[in-house]
Amino acid sequence: MGAKTWMLVIADGDARAALEAQPALDREASRALAEQLFPGETLELIGEGDLSYTNPPDPLMFIGCFPGVSVIAASEFAVDHPSQLPGRFLDIAGRRRITLHAMHSVVDWFAFAVWEDGRLIRSLSLAPDSGILEDIGEPLPFEAPFWAEQQRATVGGKDEDAYPLPFHPLELGEAVLLARFGYQLEGGGKASVDPCAIPLLHFQRAGMRRKAAPEAPETPDPWWKFW
């Protein structure tokens, strides 16, 4: 798999339903939210992309505000402990539903987290080299087949080649994309959203913040990060 993401999705309710409606991009609201999320930075609009590309390198960030749902992609969301996401990102969302989705195919790492009504209800982060980095809350329904023992992933079919996790993290990552947002990047599920039809504005960032907000604990760079 070659899929990568690091994005935050803020929704009034069901993000998948909002995206299935093929919503129109609100450009003014997108810029306004970007300026709220990244205060003190100079943001220059440099173009557009879509939901199929949500792993921008620094110093870029992608954003789209639509009726009922907003998508933000930035390196701040590539965190191996999602529960430590700086509070400024959560505060802006208020009591809306928040989903963090991040995966990196080079190291088979995947992380996701869900907040509802301002409360973290689920956070999971795992990779074959490091094992389970974070596991908070009860697994969500779409996780069930992955945790079942009969779904254990293997490499090569030999005992000594057994995959170190009960499933492949990127396969769960694709399942989360489908369950929460209605699309996949490389999975074979039945998608109801075409990510290429969901536009995102691309901004160049100047004066990026290098530390977490004062009210949140400082979060170290992910162990796999190479930029």
Side-chain angles (χ1 to χ4, degrees), residues 58-101:
D58 289 338
L60 304 181
M61 62 85 61
F62 307 155
I63 191 166
C65 288
F66 311 89
V69 63
S70 297
V71 179
I72 311 100
S75 62
E76 282 85 347
F77 309 133
V79 289
D80 48 22
H81 292 84
S83 65
Q84 297 178 17
L85 184 70
R88 62 192 172 98
F89 296 113
L90 305 177
D91 292 342
I92 287 177
R95 302 184 69 84
R96 288 176 289 175
R97 182 176 297 169
I98 306 169
T99 303
L100 181 148
H101 188 285

Side-chain angles (χ1 to χ4, degrees), residues 1 23 63 68 71 77 96 119 160 164-165 169 176 192 195 207 209 219:
M1 290 186 175
I63 191 166
V71 179
F77 309 133
R96 288 176 289 175
R119 181 174 62 92
E160 62 269 22
L165 293 170
V176 174
S192 56
R209 300 174 64 161
T219 304

Side-chain angles (χ1 to χ4, degrees), residues 57-180:
D58 289 338
L60 304 181
M61 62 85 61
F62 307 155
I63 191 166
C65 288
F66 311 89
V69 63
S70 297
V71 179
I72 311 100
S75 62
E76 282 85 347
F77 309 133
V79 289
D80 48 22
H81 292 84
S83 65
Q84 297 178 17
L85 184 70
R88 62 192 172 98
F89 296 113
L90 305 177
D91 292 342
I92 287 177
R95 302 184 69 84
R96 288 176 289 175
R97 182 176 297 169
I98 306 169
T99 303
L100 181 148
H101 188 285
M103 61 183 178
H104 199 299
S105 59
V106 173
V107 290
D108 288 353
W109 168 75
F110 170 63
F112 86 104
V114 177
W115 292 261
E116 293 188 356
D117 294 325
R119 181 174 62 92
L120 178 69
I121 64 168
R122 180 66 172 136
S123 180
L124 177 68
S125 176
L126 70 170
D129 289 342
S130 298
I132 296 176
L133 298 162
E134 184 164 88
D135 186 1
I136 298 174
E138 293 297 321
L140 298 178
F142 54 78
E143 297 181 58
F146 293 92
W147 292 110
E149 183 64 24
Q150 64 267 28
Q151 295 292 326
R152 183 173 181 82
T154 59
V155 178
K158 298 180 180 180
D159 290 342
E160 62 269 22
D161 291 329
Y163 198 69
L165 293 170
F167 53 84
H168 198 293
L170 298 189
E171 292 180 356
L172 176 58
E174 294 287 350
V176 174
L177 286 177
L178 184 62
R180 306 291 292 190

Side-chain angles (χ1 to χ4, degrees), residues 206-225:
M208 289 180 61
R209 300 174 64 161
R210 293 299 178 183
K211 294 183 179 180
E215 73 274 11
E218 186 167 342
T219 304
D221 286 342
W223 58 271
W224 48 265
K225 201 166 184 179

Side-chain angles (χ1 to χ4, degrees), residues 195-216:
C196 297
I198 306 297
L200 299 177
L201 300 183
H202 287 193
F203 285 95
Q204 178 97 15
R205 304 167 62 182
M208 289 180 61
R209 300 174 64 161
R210 293 299 178 183
K211 294 183 179 180
E215 73 274 11

